[in-house]
Amino acid sequence: MEGGGRPSAVQAALLAASSAITALLYSVYRQKSRVARGLEGARKVRLDGDLQALLLEAPGRCVPYAVIEGVVRSVKETLSSQFVENCKGVVQRLTLQEHKMVWNRTTHLWNDYEKIIHQRTNTTPFDLVPAEDSASVTVRVMKPLDAAELSLETVYEKFHPSVQSFTDVIGHYISGERPKGIQETEQMLKVGTALTGVGELVLDNATIKLQPPKQGMPYYLSTLDFESLLQKQESSVRFWKILTIVFGFATCAVLFFLLRKQYRHHRERQHLRQMQEEFRQAQERLMNTEGGETLKNACVVCLSSTKSCVFLECGHVCSCHECYQALPEPKKCPICRQGITRVVPLYNS
């Protein structure tokens, strides 16, 4: 603590940083909790002949947040894999990712660094149909790339290591960057994949559509079943809750420490003022009874013996030797509360 009981700059910065981190974690926890509650309250509908009648009865022919499970089927032509034969899908993502080592001047270590240098995503319209052969009822999936979780299967992956000459190696060490190579990846949402869709279900003329919800809830197109998807979100909520509690306790501990220090400093100042007032009153009484000359040489602690000690480094002459010996450790000057490093005897002639 600094003078006046105020916290130091480091202590104030620690309290501010801890409070900010706690507030940030709590905000993330609230958002994750809201998502989990919304997912738990989503309406489960079956992909069967009753689905259209259910939407006709719903307000606005719409279920704001619904869960539906089905199998992916292409509406038009399917997308073919560029690397795997007879691999058909409705969403295709091609990625080129650069891998290299970068020298960290702070830790003096080489760290892995990855960067996407090119990515292209192709889509084609697709429906969700019942797992059975009958496809009398279909749900058109809208804007699949807007989904918070879009499950794509990696169908091809190859790493192309970089070829380097001796001159290149020397140049890379000087520049602090060592290329490792390029990773080529192809991901697809294949035809026939079982998919769980969570979003807004709406009847548009004769077409049933699954689209991103309007009330800010996340849009899911996941290969997980609904129970697994819900458990995944609840697990994320627990993780952020534990982090929030840990940092909340740390913030409370820092705040308690600072308040305790400030309280003790206040008590010490109050006690010092009380002692000074008692000394002043005792001196006034002595002045009235024994005269000023006796008071000038009287010990300020016992007010009976003669002053016989010089306290260093403050220089106060205020105590007899017996009262100095009785001072508690660490010994401090009764007048200014400064630590006593050395005592010099005082001889009156």
Side-chain angles (χ1 to χ4, degrees):
M1 302 289 286
E2 292 180 345
R6 295 186 301 271
S8 66
V10 175
Q11 292 170 341
L14 180 62
L15 179 61
S18 180
S19 301
I21 293 174
T22 303
L24 178 63
L25 292 175
Y26 180 70
S27 175
V28 175
Y29 161 70
R30 284 282 303 272
Q31 192 270 336
K32 295 285 184 182
S33 179
R34 185 179 68 87
V35 169
R37 288 197 304 269
L39 193 60
E40 188 176 6
R43 183 173 180 178
K44 299 178 183 178
V45 298
R46 294 178 58 86
L47 193 54
D48 54 21
D50 297 332
L51 180 58
Q52 188 168 359
L54 183 148
L55 290 172
L56 285 171
E57 296 175 357
R61 297 186 175 185
C62 169
V63 177
Y65 208 46
V67 180
I68 192 164
E69 297 177 349
V71 175
V72 173
R73 188 187 71 177
S74 177
V75 176
K76 299 180 181 179
E77 295 182 358
T78 57
L79 301 173
S80 299
S81 169
Q82 294 187 5
F83 305 98
V84 182
E85 293 184 0
N86 300 322
C87 183
K88 306 289 185 180
V90 293
V91 179
Q92 178 189 49
R93 180 171 292 162
L94 301 169
T95 305
L96 290 178
Q97 190 174 41
E98 179 186 16
H99 292 257
K100 61 183 177 181
M101 304 288 287
V102 177
W103 177 255
N104 190 315
R105 290 182 173 83
T106 304
T107 61
H108 298 285
L109 295 173
W110 289 95
N111 299 326
D112 287 320
Y113 178 78
E114 300 175 358
K115 178 184 178 183
I116 294 177
I117 56 178
H118 178 72
Q119 189 174 76
R120 186 177 79 242
T121 303
N122 303 318
T123 62
T124 187
F126 67 96
D127 292 338
L128 290 181
V129 300
E132 297 79 15
D133 293 336
S134 122
S136 56
V137 179
T138 62
V139 173
R140 179 68 49 84
V141 178
M142 311 299 294
K143 300 180 181 180
L145 299 183
D146 290 350
E149 182 172 330
L150 176 61
S151 299
L152 300 178
E153 179 184 349
T154 301
V155 297
Y156 176 82
E157 188 174 21
K158 186 175 182 180
F159 184 76
H160 303 278
S162 60
V163 179
Q164 305 174 21
S165 64
F166 179 75
T167 307
D168 294 334
V169 173
I170 298 299
H172 295 153
Y173 271 97
I174 295 174
S175 65
E177 293 186 0
R178 292 162 46 191
K180 296 171 64 177
I182 302 295
Q183 184 172 345
E184 190 175 16
T185 307
E186 182 182 27
Q187 297 173 296
M188 297 190 73
L189 178 59
K190 296 195 291 187
V191 174
T193 301
L195 206 64
T196 300
V198 184
E200 183 181 68
L201 205 60
V202 60
L203 179 62
D204 185 6
N205 296 327
T207 305
I208 302 175
K209 297 180 180 180
L210 179 68
Q211 59 191 21
K214 294 184 177 65
Q215 63 267 53
M217 295 299 292
Y219 182 36
Y220 294 100
L221 295 172
S222 175
T223 53
L224 298 174
D225 60 83
F226 177 70
E227 295 300 326
S228 300
L229 185 61
L230 182 58
Q231 289 177 5
K232 180 180 177 181
Q233 297 302 318
E234 291 176 344
S235 180
S236 176
V237 170
R238 285 193 296 270
F239 171 76
W240 288 101
K241 182 178 181 180
I242 291 172
L243 275 183
T244 304
I245 292 174
V246 169
F247 274 87
F249 272 118
T251 303
C252 291
V254 173
L255 182 60
F256 174 77
F257 172 77
L258 295 181
L259 291 177
R260 181 171 174 268
K261 283 283 187 180
Q262 193 169 10
Y263 174 73
R264 290 180 62 182
H265 181 81
H266 173 72
R267 288 293 301 272
E268 287 179 0
R269 288 177 61 86
Q270 190 177 26
H271 181 64
L272 178 59
R273 285 195 298 268
Q274 182 179 357
M275 288 180 61
Q276 291 174 342
E277 180 64 23
E278 291 176 355
F279 291 155
R280 187 186 62 79
Q281 293 175 0
Q283 289 171 351
E284 289 179 353
R285 288 195 299 270
L286 284 176
M287 285 287 291
N288 295 331
T289 57
E290 300 179 5
E293 190 62 31
T294 304
L295 176 63
K296 288 181 181 179
N297 296 325
C299 169
V300 299
V301 178
C302 63
L303 299 176
S304 57
S305 300
T306 305
K307 300 174 184 177
S308 61
C309 298
V310 180
F311 296 152
L312 300 178
E313 303 293 334
C314 66
H316 282 122
V317 180
C318 58
S319 169
C320 63
H321 183 71
E322 290 76 10
C323 290
Y324 163 72
Q325 295 290 339
L327 290 175
E329 296 290 344
K331 297 184 184 300
K332 295 182 179 180
C333 174
I335 301 300
C336 63
R337 306 300 295 168
Q338 184 175 339
I340 301 173
T341 60
R342 194 157 58 96
V343 177
V344 177
L346 178 67
Y347 300 99
N348 295 317
S349 59

